[in-house]
Each structure stands twice: as C-alpha cells, then as structure tokens.
Amino acid sequence: MVPLLLVLLLVLILFGAGFALKVLWWIAIAVLVIWLIGFVARPRGGSGRWYRW
C-alpha cells in the first residue's frame, strides 16, 4: 500500500510541476511579445525608451 501511495504522490508532484512550468512558459512568451511590441512601437521623440527605468 505504501509504494502505491508513493507512486501516486510522485505522479501528482510531477504533474503539478509540469503544469506550473507550462504556465510559466506561456507567461514568459506573453511578456516577450509585450516587450517586443513596446520596442517596435516606441516613441520617436525623447529618450526613445517606452519604460521608465
């Protein structure tokens, strides 16, 4: 019974980690797209930076 519970726990941990990593990849892609849009559509005048820092 204990090995079965350990295997189920391992499967749940790996599934949760895989889902979290997939979500983090999508967030990273979205941030990259937003950054690229801001880089391309930056204002022509001024310092040329669309972010404040």
Side-chain angles (χ1 to χ4, degrees):
M1 186 70 177
V2 172
L4 180 64
L5 289 175
L6 288 176
V7 168
L8 287 175
L9 183 63
L10 183 64
V11 167
L12 283 174
I13 289 172
L14 290 176
F15 176 75
F19 182 74
L21 288 175
K22 189 173 182 179
V23 169
L24 288 176
W25 271 111
W26 282 112
I27 291 172
I29 290 171
V31 169
L32 178 65
V33 167
I34 291 171
W35 181 79
L36 286 174
I37 290 172
F39 184 75
V40 170
R42 63 182 180 212
R44 298 290 176 227
S47 64
R49 292 190 309 190
W50 61 276
Y51 48 86
R52 293 174 43 143
W53 34 272

